[in-house]
Amino acid sequence: MSTVELTTENFDEVIGGADDRNFVFIDFWAGWCGPCVRFAPVYEKAAERHSDIVFAKVDTEAQRELAAAFDIQSIPTLAIIRDGTLVFSQAGALPEPVLEDLIGKARALDMDEVRAKVAAEKSEQK
């Protein structure tokens, strides 16, 4: 599977709800960003290898609202959403072995545990 361009218009469709779209990697990038351009082929290869995961790309120049919603401060930034929960967000281009390791770790997450932790953090903030 190739990557999907993520926009404010298709965000809910790509990220939201459908059973086969509950695991999404998002690459925030811009055409003028050298590290973004170098990371793109690594990201594309991962998308081809892991067809059960949605690999999306956000052009931060064209999709400023999405970049702001994810509080993107530098690019490239990789974010992972699993079952509707943001489980990872980090700036920097990743080498292929590190990206593959991250994919494995994201797959291994106990989402019940993650949801419980998020709920606990929310209740502490109130």
Side-chain angles (χ1 to χ4, degrees), residues 11-33:
F11 183 84
D12 289 338
E13 176 188 333
V14 172
I15 302 298
D19 290 339
D20 63 339
R21 299 197 182 264
N22 62 1
F23 198 180
V24 182
F25 277 61
I26 306 170
D27 174 23
F28 291 88
W29 68 283
W32 52 262
C33 165

Side-chain angles (χ1 to χ4, degrees), residues 3 12 33 53 58 67 73 81-82 93 102 109 119:
T3 58
D12 289 338
C33 165
I53 300 173
V58 174
Q73 301 296 314
I81 297 176
R82 190 151 165 222
L102 181 60
L109 284 173

Side-chain angles (χ1 to χ4, degrees), residues 90-105:
Q90 180 177 305
L94 301 175
E96 189 172 336
V98 175
L99 179 57
E100 287 298 318
D101 184 55
L102 181 60
I103 291 168
K105 288 178 178 174

Side-chain angles (χ1 to χ4, degrees), residues 77-99:
T77 290
L78 183 65
I80 304 171
I81 297 176
R82 190 151 165 222
D83 298 345
T85 302
L86 180 67
V87 295
F88 178 86
S89 181
Q90 180 177 305
L94 301 175
E96 189 172 336
V98 175
L99 179 57

Side-chain angles (χ1 to χ4, degrees), residues 28-114:
F28 291 88
W29 68 283
W32 52 262
C33 165
C36 299
V37 172
R38 288 188 297 278
F39 179 59
V42 171
Y43 193 72
E44 288 289 337
K45 282 184 191 176
E48 291 170 10
R49 276 193 301 274
H50 301 279
S51 60
D52 60 318
I53 300 173
V54 175
F55 284 80
K57 294 180 74 71
V58 174
D59 178 347
T60 57
E61 293 293 307
Q63 298 297 320
R64 293 178 189 266
E65 279 182 59
L66 278 181
F70 280 84
D71 195 28
I72 301 303
Q73 301 296 314
S74 63
I75 52 175
T77 290
L78 183 65
I80 304 171
I81 297 176
R82 190 151 165 222
D83 298 345
T85 302
L86 180 67
V87 295
F88 178 86
S89 181
Q90 180 177 305
L94 301 175
E96 189 172 336
V98 175
L99 179 57
E100 287 298 318
D101 184 55
L102 181 60
I103 291 168
K105 288 178 178 174
R107 285 185 190 282
L109 284 173
D110 179 338
M111 289 310 294
D112 289 334
E113 187 178 303
V114 170

